[in-house]
Amino acid sequence: MALGHPSREATPKWVYYFAAGDSEGRADMSDLLGGKGANLAEMANLGLPVPPGFTITTEVCGLYYRNQRSLPEGLVPQVERALERVGKETGFSFGNEENPLLVAVRSGGRASMPGMMDTILNLGLNDRTVQGLARNSNDERFAYDSYRRFIQMYGDVVLGVDHAVFEDILDNFKNLNGFSFDTELGAGEWREVIAAYKGAIEDSGSAPFPQDTNEQLWGAIGAVFGSWQNNRAVTYRRLHAIPESWGTAVNVQAMVFGNMGNTSATGVAFTRNPSTGANEIYGEYLINAQGEDVVSGIRTPHTLTIKAREEAEDPNPSLEDELPGAFHELKLIFGALESRYRDMQDIEFTIQNGKVWMLQTRSGKRTAEAAVKIAVDLAAEGVIRRDEAVLRVDPSSFTQLLHPTIDPSAEMELLTSGLPASPGAASGEIVFSSDEAERQKQQGRAVILVRTETSPEDIHGMHAAAGILTARGGMTSHAAVVARGMGVPCVSGAGAIRINEQAATLSVGQRVLKAGDIVTIDGATGRVYVGEVPMRQPQLSGDFASLIAWADAAGGLSVRANADTPKDARQARAFGAQGIGLCRTEHMFFDAERILTMREMICATNEAGRKSALARILPVQRADFVELFEIMGELPVTIRLLDPPLHEFLPRQERELEAVAAQLKMPIDKLKARVDELSEFNPMLGLRGSRLAIRYPEITEMQARAIFEAAIEAGKRQGVTVEPEIMIPLVAYRREYDILAGVIRNTADTIEKEAGVRLAYKLGTMIELPRACLRAGDLADGEDGADFFSFGTNDLTQTALGLSRDDAAPILSAYATQGIYDADPFASIDQQGVGELVRIGVERGREKKPTLKIGICGEHGGDPDSIAFFHSAGFDYVSCSPFRVPVARLAAAQAAIRAKLDA
Ligand code: PEP
Ligand code: MG
């Protein structure tokens, strides 16, 4: 272990001691002590039974990396003093052969990163202290079992010997000697395994396993700080936007033993059900085991409560059956922790000879469904306020609630079943490795990642997969916890599955499936089906409806939807959209029958030809609008005039060209000439948007007529006034706006005369070019200026960054890795750059017209961070795809609540 140079200045406080009723830390010190350290200190402050220990601060982690992975020297005396205090408190002594103190060394950053960093248990054991432990515990088997666990962990984490080496030794030993379970091995057998472990460490060429307990301790502390930069931790931080600079703390804590026999146990518990949110204790335990046995999925743990046991029809006794006294004490502690933290807690505990010890508490990760239920229940219980409940749910996680579920009326072939580890149903091709999952995802395939069990090395594959299926592991196994956090459907512990990675097959009994075969998993029931199964769309009611009603009451931005079809519009209404913020009319023309007329219009050589084709498009377009207006009732509907370059409607491939030429009864050469004529080097910057409309005003005239006639018809049918909002795309100059507004107004005047009615409508423009932001005052100025702006932040980002939205993908990943972009600027708005243009546009537009209505209809309208920005910039509404409407409603409410709280 390398130590840095001594500092001349007084060393800062780097070590914080904790013990029941006597802690130097507090719950609100997680920046310094990490979440685990701060909460251990807090539990100790509450007088709960916490094994004494100390936390080395996250500051030391920073120093460790700044000093080329060496720890500051001033740390040594602080650790020694704290270790002595732990000894006094426990009555043991570190390194003492008669009465050895054993410690656990664990990581713990500010944000929880479950399983990503390293842990070492039973530290302080060597060939001599193990005998002291055997004498003191009166249990030689326990002492040697603990020692071999320690060598295994230390060998893996500190000395870098692959854990599979140790697992193979143990498996071989058991096979050779006819043992099935670890619990069958006695002290003598463990001694043999220990000798083999030590031999394997020597053979591996690493440093030998240290007998000096101080060397063990510093080796472990260094390794845990080092694990902040291991690959899985780095990936996890990238996926969860956790800054590199935070660092981890290290917790050194007196060991308590769940593996001391049949009145000892270890377990994890949630104070409420993290899958459903039900107010019931939920979790798992193992008798005579240490913590890693539960989370690693190696042994399948049992239920905590009698109720859960009965529901699961589990033949094994629950903790409540087995150790009722300890269970009762835990229940009281859970209540105390929930009142203190005002939230559902995720807890790790150990029972040593009947005595309960608390090892961790933190706010528990939960599914979106559970998050909603818990927030609503806590508000109903009077623990939190309604606006706090709204803040408690992560808007992005709402997409989990929008997961389809399996249609119960569908015919299905059940393959097998496991545990319902993370809700939602998913179909996909099976893959057996995380790298493969990632590769297939990049090629646009939906995959189900199938593993015996997952480990933190699998997170990239779990992220890429549509669903996860594991053969082993309980509801708190790595796969289950991580999948729930990610919102990926997961079935874990499907024990009947046999996986042959080499052959890339999975079998259940005689049934064999190969990589690429399709399965469907149902993370809500744990069932796995062969092939693709029909799904049902989700219903949003109950707690969800309460929460969203509280969110709407917070007075945030209103939320509209981008909807081009009746199906989208119905979905948008079902999700509570307050209007349509963008109807892209071009999407109405891609239908097989309509595109032909559209192509005729585009290929027409003169205005008369175009007008004749447009006359045939008119009734179709009008009927589309009537349907949209009817679905939306009195809610506002913003319709955008045709935007994309015309060649998007024309064929490219030779075969298609031939077919279209035949359909249009046009010589192929003439068609090709027209396609050539329309092709552009930079179509995104070419003949599109308002330019297209100015070039072919008859298209605008037809669209305006379709909109107005539809408004009259839908209004009559429903007995209401339909007031459409017509929007002109890609405007940079006031003159462009005036020319097109003129066409629309003239059309309106004509129709008013024809139909003898007065039309009500609004005219506005998209703001998607930097010039439009800068000259927003011109665009809004006066009676005839725009009534509303809708920021098209897709094009605005493209034009402000000079980065093609269709070619950005490879650039984005390089730019993200090198820290040039914090986030994909097409997904989350670049607040500094594009955001400044947006603010200028809002300010200059409102300066000329204070009543100007302002919205956004780019992709950013469904992104929670961007929504907070639009709130602060003074927008009236955001518009996003229908499935993001609930996300946006919650995000809009949170922005409003936070702004109020900050004020
Ligand atoms: C935009 O540019 O943000 C927008 C909504 O228009 P489109 O994506 O259709 O170009
Ligand atoms: Mg656009």
Side-chain angles (χ1 to χ4, degrees):
M1 204 333 292
L3 293 176
H5 295 295
S7 151
R8 266 172 243 289
E9 293 159 27
T11 45
K13 185 168 175 55
W14 284 324
V15 171
Y16 286 71
Y17 178 75
F18 57 81
D22 179 19
S23 293
E24 296 173 334
R26 288 185 319 269
D28 61 3
M29 288 169 69
S30 63
D31 290 3
L32 194 61
L33 303 181
K36 187 191 280 276
N39 288 333
L40 280 168
E42 189 68 24
M43 284 199 289
N45 284 333
L46 291 172
L48 299 179
V50 174
F54 55 89
T55 304
I56 306 173
T57 64
T58 53
E59 260 171 28
V60 176
C61 188
L63 290 171
Y64 174 81
Y65 285 104
R66 278 199 291 286
N67 275 340
Q68 284 80 44
R69 295 189 180 235
S70 66
L71 291 163
E73 190 158 294
L75 181 64
V76 175
Q78 294 193 30
V79 164
E80 282 172 353
R81 268 196 306 278
L83 201 56
E84 234 176 77
R85 264 175 100 174
V86 175
K88 279 215 181 88
E89 180 73 25
T90 54
F92 296 105
S93 171
F94 190 65
N96 184 298
E97 294 182 13
E98 294 308 317
N99 210 14
L101 168 69
L102 305 191
V103 293
V105 181
R106 296 188 177 90
S107 60
R110 256 198 245 185
S112 126
M113 294 170 49
M116 297 302 138
M117 289 180 287
D118 292 325
T119 292
I120 295 154
L121 303 180
N122 306 324
L123 189 141
L125 282 173
N126 58 25
D127 293 350
R128 292 177 310 283
T129 55
V130 69
Q131 296 170 30
L133 179 67
R135 278 192 300 275
N136 283 336
S137 61
N138 219 351
D139 189 344
E140 210 186 0
R141 182 200 175 277
F142 152 74
Y144 283 91
D145 177 28
S146 303
Y147 190 23
R148 70 91 194 175
R149 286 170 187 264
F150 172 49
I151 297 173
Q152 192 169 338
M153 278 189 156
Y154 197 90
D156 174 16
V157 172
V158 184
L159 304 176
V161 182
D162 192 345
H163 61 93
V165 170
F166 301 107
E167 277 158 28
D168 287 349
I169 291 174
L170 182 53
D171 284 346
N172 287 339
F173 184 85
K174 287 198 302 200
N175 287 342
L176 277 174
N177 296 285
F179 295 116
S180 306
F181 299 103
D182 293 2
T183 42
E184 294 163 1
L185 276 71
E189 278 93 26
W190 285 128
R191 267 194 287 264
E192 286 181 51
V193 172
I194 287 166
Y197 279 2
K198 286 186 191 159
I201 291 175
E202 260 166 45
D203 293 348
S204 76
S206 84
F209 169 76
Q211 289 290 323
D212 176 341
T213 52
N214 274 315
E215 194 183 334
Q216 292 175 357
L217 179 66
W218 289 105
I221 293 172
V224 173
F225 279 130
S227 68
W228 176 251
Q229 289 294 6
N230 71 29
N231 287 342
R232 48 185 209 256
V234 170
T235 310
Y236 189 94
R237 285 201 292 278
R238 186 161 46 76
L239 290 175
H240 292 81
I242 298 172
E244 208 65 41
S245 59
W246 281 5
T248 181
V250 173
N251 298 289
V252 178
Q253 190 176 22
M255 280 296 299
V256 285
F257 298 96
N259 56 337
M260 256 194 184
N262 288 337
T263 55
S264 297
T266 185
V268 294
F270 291 84
T271 55
R272 298 181 189 228
N273 185 317
S275 274
T276 64
N279 190 357
E280 62 194 15
I281 292 175
Y282 176 93
E284 298 169 328
Y285 83 107
L286 280 171
I287 285 278
N288 200 6
Q290 281 197 333
E292 78 275 12
D293 298 336
V294 180
V295 280
S296 68
I298 292 168
R299 277 165 67 186
T300 300
H302 306 156
T303 57
L304 290 184
T305 63
I306 294 173
K307 180 168 173 267
R309 165 174 62 71
E310 287 172 354
E311 278 170 10
E313 295 177 11
D314 186 342
N316 301 295
S318 67
L319 183 68
E320 192 175 3
D321 298 301
E322 194 86 337
L323 299 171
F327 176 80
H328 183 70
E329 190 183 344
L330 275 171
K331 212 169 145 177
L332 295 176
I333 293 173
F334 294 171
L337 287 174
E338 266 211 4
S339 334
R340 168 64 187 82
Y341 287 95
R342 303 164 71 238
D343 195 10
M344 181 263 263
Q345 296 295 294
D346 166 358
I347 284 155
E348 284 178 23
F349 65 88
T350 281
I351 301 169
Q352 177 176 322
N353 290 329
K355 173 158 178 44
V356 170
W357 290 100
M358 299 300 295
L359 299 185
Q360 168 157 301
T361 190
R362 59 185 173 197
S363 281
K365 288 200 188 304
R366 59 205 80 182
T367 62
E369 184 190 340
V372 171
K373 175 154 178 58
I374 291 168
V376 171
D377 283 355
L378 287 173
E381 290 160 27
V383 178
I384 58 175
R385 293 189 315 269
R386 284 182 172 184
D387 59 354
E388 283 179 284
V390 169
L391 292 178
R392 284 284 174 92
V393 179
D394 171 9
S396 316
S397 75
F398 259 26
T399 38
Q400 278 183 41
L401 293 177
L402 312 178
H403 272 307
T405 48
I406 284 182
D407 182 347
S409 65
E411 275 197 18
M412 302 173 254
E413 182 190 342
L414 185 69
L415 177 68
T416 185
S417 47
L419 301 171
S422 177
S427 299
E429 297 177 21
I430 50 182
V431 294
F432 295 97
S433 79
S434 286
D435 290 345
E436 189 58 21
E438 205 171 37
R439 259 195 301 280
Q440 298 287 349
K441 165 80 188 288
Q442 275 162 6
Q443 293 179 8
R445 290 207 164 83
V447 295
I448 304 292
L449 175 63
V450 182
R451 307 282 289 151
T452 302
E453 63 210 4
T454 63
S455 77
E457 262 96 27
D458 285 312
I459 45 172
H460 61 297
M462 299 173 77
H463 201 72
I468 297 157
L469 170 61
T470 70
R472 283 203 224 149
M475 294 290 283
T476 50
S477 65
H478 177 266
V481 171
V482 174
R484 277 200 296 273
M486 286 178 175
V488 177
C490 173
V491 172
S492 71
I497 288 182
R498 295 284 165 272
I499 295 168
N500 183 337
E501 276 190 43
Q502 225 109 51
T505 58
L506 104 73
S507 52
V508 178
Q510 298 303 312
R511 183 81 202 230
V512 181
L513 298 180
K514 304 183 301 301
D517 287 348
I518 292 182
V519 296
T520 298
I521 64 165
D522 185 348
T525 62
R527 299 209 174 92
V528 182
Y529 303 95
V530 180
E532 196 166 342
V533 173
M535 309 257 179
R536 261 195 193 168
Q537 293 311 315
Q539 297 292 321
L540 302 176
S541 53
D543 293 319
F544 179 87
S546 308
L547 189 86
I548 208 90
W550 299 345
D552 289 347
L557 300 175
S558 54
V559 176
R560 299 191 189 181
N562 294 354
D564 314 323
T565 62
K567 184 166 164 255
D568 289 348
R570 281 193 199 96
Q571 190 67 70
R573 281 215 83 157
F575 287 152
Q578 288 160 283
I580 290 179
L582 172 64
C583 168
R584 292 178 165 105
T585 48
E586 56 270 19
H587 290 175
M588 297 170 157
F589 296 117
F590 282 106
D591 185 272
E593 284 166 33
R594 300 171 179 198
I595 197 161
L596 185 66
T597 328
M598 190 67 185
R599 285 171 172 166
E600 256 182 67
M601 192 271 296
I602 294 167
C603 293
T605 44
N606 54 32
E607 196 181 322
R610 260 192 311 279
K611 280 198 164 161
S612 130
L614 285 168
R616 273 174 287 135
I617 294 175
L618 172 70
V620 180
Q621 177 107 95
R622 183 172 55 218
D624 288 335
F625 295 143
V626 170
E627 210 174 344
L628 275 192
F629 291 143
E630 284 190 335
I631 294 166
M632 298 310 289
E634 288 187 69
L635 295 176
V637 176
T638 308
I639 295 171
R640 181 178 75 184
L641 302 179
L642 194 69
D643 177 55
L646 292 182
H647 64 81
E648 283 193 12
F649 297 96
L650 293 181
R652 251 169 281 241
Q653 312 285 351
E654 187 68 27
R655 269 198 11 238
E656 273 188 308
L657 280 162
E658 282 166 14
V660 170
Q663 275 178 323
L664 296 179
K665 298 189 180 59
M666 188 175 181
I668 184 143
D669 289 348
K670 249 178 114 184
L671 177 63
K672 280 186 181 164
R674 183 65 180 145
V675 172
D676 279 349
E677 200 183 328
L678 286 171
S679 83
E680 293 170 314
F681 279 111
N682 288 314
M684 273 289 171
L685 303 178
L687 186 64
R688 56 170 292 218
S690 62
R691 300 165 202 153
L692 180 70
I694 286 171
R695 171 90 170 70
Y696 301 115
E698 55 277 13
I699 302 179
T700 303
E701 203 182 307
M702 180 280 288
Q703 289 201 297
R705 179 172 276 277
I707 294 167
F708 291 132
E709 290 179 352
I712 295 171
E713 192 174 329
K716 264 195 210 138
R717 286 197 202 165
Q718 302 186 95
V720 296
T721 307
V722 174
E723 187 180 344
E725 298 179 352
I726 302 178
M727 178 154 80
I728 303 169
L730 215 77
V731 166
Y733 288 81
R734 172 64 188 253
R735 184 78 191 120
E736 288 171 315
Y737 180 81
D738 281 342
I739 292 172
L740 295 170
V743 174
I744 298 165
R745 288 196 186 104
N746 285 341
T747 310
D749 291 346
T750 312
I751 293 173
E752 282 185 342
K753 280 188 205 114
E754 284 168 11
V757 292
R758 284 231 29 96
L759 286 168
Y761 61 94
K762 288 198 173 71
L763 283 186
T765 175
M766 293 199 62
I767 303 286
E768 5 185 27
L769 295 172
R771 191 182 197 282
C773 296
L774 299 174
R775 305 305 304 173
D778 298 348
L779 295 171
D781 198 15
E783 277 265 297
D784 287 348
D787 299 321
F788 65 91
F789 283 174
S790 180
F791 282 82
T793 47
N794 303 334
D795 274 311
L796 188 58
T797 298
Q798 163 166 270
T799 49
L801 270 55
L803 176 65
S804 160
R805 54 197 270 196
D806 299 317
D807 304 303
I811 297 159
L812 291 178
S813 62
Y815 267 46
T817 341
Q818 300 196 45
I820 301 171
Y821 295 152
D822 292 336
D824 172 354
F826 288 105
S828 193
I829 196 150
D830 158 35
Q831 298 189 18
Q832 282 84 38
V834 179
E836 184 166 357
L837 284 169
V838 170
R839 285 188 193 275
I840 290 172
V842 172
E843 204 176 287
R844 295 187 183 171
R846 287 244 172 89
E847 211 171 270
K848 291 287 180 195
K849 186 174 278 174
T851 57
L852 187 70
K853 196 154 207 186
I854 296 182
I856 128 96
C857 61
E859 279 308 296
H860 306 91
D863 168 63
D865 289 339
S866 308
I867 291 171
F869 167 79
F870 297 126
H871 178 95
S872 74
F875 276 57
D876 296 299
Y877 69 88
V878 296
S879 187
C880 56
S881 68
F883 271 86
R884 289 164 91 188
V885 165
V887 175
R889 285 167 76 190
L890 186 62
Q894 291 185 346
I897 294 168
R898 289 208 179 97
K900 261 184 235 150
L901 291 176
D902 288 348

